[in-house]
């Protein structure tokens, strides 16, 4: 009898604290990934669009869009971490450590940093720190995420509960900025907006105005491009309602791209403090976005400041509404993301 | 109070004669843009498909498809020129001055060359000459377009009326041909058809036979790829009828690609004499195309002639019907384009 | 009167034994084609995804996915071979002779190797051997296919019947393996599965578990990318039922990509023994796949073995059901493909 060839993926009892899982299928980036990212999302941040603009900011060329790199690394982790997940519960301590350039080959691994069986005994929460590395072995990004995973066997013993102590937000001095980055000669006409760090006030909210109605073909193209294999995104028969669930990262990228209108100079994401996929998103939804300025910081790179931003994606209601009276996300909220981005001072 | 971060765009009274507007977000081209163009349209003109074919024609490699460059430059102008447009009224004096090659970074600017307030006092017509330049500052293309734009304030004073004197069609000697272009060794087997300049007669009409039914995902991918931000193309809630209007350039590229069947040797567009988006196009339409030979010319490049062509896209009726008895475009006509293309003599 | 500019394509009486037809429109490959292939299909075979993985296997870089090259060559042949085809009847003796690399320019030609008029006198079967060559003239692949083609004139005389003698399956020693290929240092963690040649047993069947629901936009993007011009794939008005027929190659690539789950180490297709598009496929179908191991072989490349596999794509019924009691393909079977792939020993 031949050994079974397909894997059902890991269940809660298959994870152990300190375990390091190397994720399969490395991926080399070309201009094709960039072009597709710009076709899938209305992405217009100039540093990712133009080699000339990037060079004027001290980079060797335009990197791959920050979130495209994130999706690639995330996608590699799906077969090992979230294929049997009931829910993606959150992100923390995400840092973009090196711009991903064309020609780079990315691989990924995850370390189990927390485990907690749920009281039902049927599921548990797994915390992992996932790292993406390039062909030189340099780490290009890392982030923590935690997911609720089914147990294979409800009778399997519960592991010791370890809940990692995660920063609520990255301290600005823990952000890693791209080598050579320099915004002193920043071209505000070519970037699309005149706003600089000083123009943003903590507490300020921005309605990004535009909306994009999403199609099945688009989110599947995107999700496949990142080699994310979660079947709920592709197989209309996998949910009882016959709908394909849109990969949460598709909503993140759509909202980030929509935020260009008001945040054109929030050029590079360098930190991901947290994020919740507040409600599921399906094809036919018109995604809108608004932002709130949460914090501001200076950096040691010439001309470069940092904005901490809340980015909220909605399915279309009035902006700036996040939670109901009971403190729960309102039904039209799709995403609540907290990140650090670099802006000219 | 923070300054508003999003811009509502320019209204009619914001334009002044002679004003030059630098459009934002430069863009570097790679093989990804070409591959996407060939996935979005049935584009098969050999000089854009094959480096080898292009080299045999005296070019350093296959350029980006002519209209892809046009869409990129056009897209950059949208936030500044047509975001508040009621209608795109026409094109004139378009010239493709240099092939766009992979690795080129395009930027764009527009000069206001005409203004005319409408008698209603609520709108006005703005004429601009838009130029695309590459990273060396060389102009790769220029074209005039005019749009009807809303006034912000109906009481704002009308500007002096200046209507530019535009050529009905470019004179063949004003066409700029790619440096080194040479069709003396042209490979008719590899280009797909045997027809040369002498085989086309002025007045001849060609039914391009094929049709393509268009999908929402496709026109949005295309329109985003050119970083065109006009929300009617993306947001199903922006029109009362809940339909997304397909970017007129998508119809142009679809019709041009369909015209391969009969005009496989009309290799490179070098002049855009005029064009009208006669009726709006929506997803579900099956686009067809026919052409009429309007003029023929010789050029000073070896083996290279020029055809002036009318390209008509329709939503599916019999070919060769353009206007009704009253002289209006028939309802099935989507596009009436007048251009110069280079063909082997 | 001008000569007609569009061609209706060849009919049965236009083919002659021994005739060689050079197909039009060469095509240069970039990273864009690879990125699109990975967006269109859940393709994850590491040797095509990562330059580093490919180099560790003795190749200069990651080639274009095997089937993408096949579709490109096939697509070129469509206007000359199958534009008037009533049916694609089969494939045989397909060999992948050289990996297709970024920067390669492919062209194609077909030789007529068989002709047989049908008893109705209205159609006939044409067998061709199609070859794809690169810019150096080296043959990168070849395959036989046969199609049923309409006659233009039912009264045209029947040609002498010549039915080529085709191998039921390629002998393993006739497979051509990529120069330098070496699986002795194969990284099973990065490839995604631990299974090697010895782990597969002849007769073993594998359910690939996953499914993908296909959309109109996706199959049209794919089919255009390969410059396949058959109008049934694009024009919703071309069939009486208003449906667009999905290009059979789209089903092949989808099934092959789905087969990663269980055949992650079946890295490179090197032989195509045969194939039938058992039933037509339309948008909305959820494609699933299963495989059967038909044969195993060793090769003279270090660490490299070969698996002969049956790959069956279905529209969703239970796996491992191929034919009904009468020996006909069951209605849910879309594809029955027989190929050789290279695996680590």
């Amino acid at each position: 009898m031949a050994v079974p060839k397909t894997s059902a993926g890991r269940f809660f009892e298959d994870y152990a604290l300190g375990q390091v899982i190397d994720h399969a299928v490395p991926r080399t980036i070309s201009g094709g990934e960039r072009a597709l990212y710009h076709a899938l999302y209305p992405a217009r941040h100039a540093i990712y669009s133009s080699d000339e603009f990037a060079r004027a900011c001290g980079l060797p060329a335009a990197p791959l869009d920050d979130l495209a790199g994130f999706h690639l690394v995330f996608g590699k982790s799906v077969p090992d971490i979230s294929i049997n997940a009931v829910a993606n519960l959150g992100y923390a301590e995400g840092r973009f450590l090196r711009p991903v350039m064309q020609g780079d080959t990315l691989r990924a691994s995850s370390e189990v940093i927390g485990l907690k069986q749920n009281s039902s005994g049927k599921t548990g929460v797994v915390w992992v720190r996932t790292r993406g590395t390039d062909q030189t072995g340099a780490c290009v990004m890392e982030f923590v995420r935690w997911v609720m995973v089914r147990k294979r066997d409800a009778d399997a013993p519960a592991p010791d509960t370890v809940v990692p102590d995660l920063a609520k937000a990255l301290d600005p001095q823990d952000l890693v900025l791209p080598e050579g980055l320099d915004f002193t000669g920043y071209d505000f006409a070519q970037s699309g907006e005149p706003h600089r760090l000083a123009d943003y006030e903590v507490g300020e909210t921005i309605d990004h105005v535009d909306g994009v109605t999403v199609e099945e073909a688009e989110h599947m193209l995107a999700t496949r491009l990142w080699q994310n294999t979660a079947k709920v995104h592709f197989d209309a028969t996998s949910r009882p309602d016959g709908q394909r669930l849109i990969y949460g990262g598709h909503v993140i990228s759509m909202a980030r791209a929509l935020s260009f209108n008001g945040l054109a100079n929030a050029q590079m994401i360098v930190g991901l403090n947290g994020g919740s996929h507040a409600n599921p998103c399906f094809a036919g939804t018109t995604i809108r976005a608004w932002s709130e300025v949460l914090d501001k910081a200076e950096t040691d790179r010439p001309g470069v400041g940092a904005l901490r931003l809340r980015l909220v994606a909605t399915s279309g209601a009035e902006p700036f509404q996040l939670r109901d009276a009971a403190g729960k996300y309102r039904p039209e909220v799709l995403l609540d993301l907290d990140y650090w981005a670099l802006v000219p001072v």
Side-chain angles (χ1 to χ4, degrees), chain A residues 12-13 15-16 115-117 151 156-162:
Chain A
F12 181 66
E13 59 265 47
Y15 296 95
L115 289 169
K116 180 175 180 292
Q117 183 165 312
K151 291 180 76 174
D160 292 338
T161 292
V162 176

Side-chain angles (χ1 to χ4, degrees), chain A residues 57 82 85 138 183 192 223 225 240 247 253 275 297 318 336:
Chain A
C57 295
S82 48
F183 282 170
T223 308
L225 184 59
Y247 162 50
S253 275
E318 288 301 295
D336 179 14

Side-chain angles (χ1 to χ4, degrees), chain A residues 118-172:
Chain A
N118 287 328
S119 54
S120 72
K122 294 184 181 159
T123 57
V125 179
V126 181
W127 283 260
V128 292
R129 190 179 304 273
T130 299
R131 288 188 179 86
T133 50
D134 69 16
Q135 65 284 358
T136 71
C139 187
V140 298
M141 80 187 60
E142 58 174 19
F143 55 89
V144 172
R145 70 169 171 137
W146 55 107
V147 293
M148 190 188 304
V149 181
R150 271 187 285 269
K151 291 180 76 174
R152 184 187 295 105
D153 172 8
D155 295 333
D160 292 338
T161 292
V162 176
V163 176
D165 184 26
L166 298 170
K168 198 169 168 346
L170 287 163
D171 192 281

Side-chain angles (χ1 to χ4, degrees), chain A residues 86-109:
Chain A
V86 183
N88 281 292
L89 298 173
Y91 306 103
E93 297 186 0
R95 296 196 305 169
F96 294 72
L97 302 167
R98 282 169 81 98
V100 177
M101 308 302 291
Q102 289 179 30
D104 280 357
T105 299
L106 296 190
R107 46 196 293 176
S109 66

